[in-house]
Amino acid sequence: MKSLFSTFSLILLMSISLTAQNYITRTGYIRFYSEAPLENIEAVNRQVNSALNIETGEFVFRVLMRSFNFEKALMQEHFNENYVESHKYPNASFQGKITNLDEIDFSAPGTYNAVVEGELTIKDATNSIKETGTLEVKADEITGKTVFTILLEDYNIEIPSAVSRNISEEIEITVDVELKKM
C-alpha cells in the first residue's frame, strides 16, 4: 500500500511540470486538533507528500489518513474505522494555487504572506477553500505554514450522538511543510 501511495504521489508531483522550478517533500507535517468539553483530540501526521511549482504557484499535497498518530490507540482506531473510513478513503488531498504569487519573491530570502485557493478532499467530499499562510524562502528550501479550521459536516464526517460531547464539530488543522528544491 505504501509503495502504491509513493508511486502515485511521485506521479502527482511530477505532473506539475518537469521543466518548472519545483520544491517537494515527503515528510510534511499536518496536525489536527479538536477541543471539546470532555476531551481534546489531537493527531499528527509526518508523512505528507507535497509539491510547489514556484513559476505557476501550483501547490498540492496528499496525505495517507492511516498515518495520523493519536495519543490513545482507541482514538486512532475510531478515527480510521468510523469517522474517515480510511479503508474506503485512504487519502486526503489538496490541489490549488497561490493567488498572490506576484507578491512573493522566490529569489530573495524572507518570509512572505501567501494566499492559497483550491480544492480540499477528505473522505468522499471536496470543498473549495481559501486560506492564508506564510512561505519562508531560503537558499534551496521553502517552508510553508498555515492554520485553518474545517467543519466535519462539510466532509461527511458524522459524529454519533453518544460521543457528540467528546468531539467538536470544528477541527483546527495545522500544516507545516519544508519543501526542498528538486
Side-chain angles (χ1 to χ4, degrees):
M1 181 72 169
K2 282 190 177 185
S3 176
L4 178 63
F5 178 72
S6 295
T7 302
F8 179 78
S9 296
L10 284 175
I11 292 169
L12 176 69
L13 297 175
M14 291 177 68
S15 70
I16 290 178
S17 175
L18 292 175
T19 61
Q21 290 192 358
N22 289 322
Y23 288 74
I24 66 167
T25 187
R26 291 184 188 89
T27 58
Y29 168 90
I30 292 181
R31 169 188 174 257
F32 73 78
Y33 179 76
S34 165
E35 186 174 322
L38 296 179
E39 186 170 34
N40 295 335
I41 299 171
E42 179 178 23
V44 172
N45 189 326
R46 297 182 188 279
Q47 298 178 22
V48 178
N49 292 307
S50 183
L52 170 64
N53 176 320
I54 64 169
E55 291 176 2
T56 65
E58 289 176 271
F59 177 67
V60 296
F61 77 76
R62 182 167 297 276
V63 57
L64 186 63
M65 297 305 281
R66 287 200 174 274
S67 294
F68 278 101
N69 293 309
F70 292 74
E71 186 177 318
K72 296 179 181 177
L74 188 57
M75 282 184 183
Q76 190 160 332
E77 182 180 328
H78 287 172
F79 171 79
N80 284 299
E81 291 179 10
N82 303 331
Y83 300 116
V84 296
E85 301 175 86
S86 59
H87 59 286
K88 287 170 51 177
Y89 311 103
N91 302 304
S93 63
F94 174 81
Q95 186 166 352
K97 199 168 195 170
I98 298 170
T99 60
N100 65 328
L101 197 59
D102 58 334
E103 298 173 21
I104 301 168
D105 184 354
F106 289 104
S107 66
T111 301
Y112 302 90
N113 291 323
V115 179
V116 180
E117 287 186 52
E119 302 291 318
L120 177 62
T121 301
I122 300 173
K123 202 174 164 184
D124 59 348
T126 300
N127 291 290
S128 295
I129 64 168
K130 179 179 180 179
E131 298 298 335
T132 59
T134 60
L135 292 175
E136 182 180 0
V137 177
K138 300 175 189 169
D140 287 330
E141 179 180 304
I142 298 171
T143 301
K145 295 182 181 185
T146 189
V147 178
F148 62 97
T149 302
I150 64 166
L151 297 174
L152 294 179
E153 69 183 354
D154 289 346
Y155 295 93
N156 299 327
I157 299 172
E158 297 178 17
I159 307 302
S161 59
V163 293
S164 64
R165 291 189 53 199
N166 294 11
I167 301 172
S168 173
E169 294 177 10
E170 292 184 350
I171 303 294
E172 178 186 87
I173 298 176
T174 302
V175 178
D176 187 344
V177 291
E178 291 182 11
L179 304 151
K180 306 282 186 192
K181 191 173 188 177
M182 274 181 58

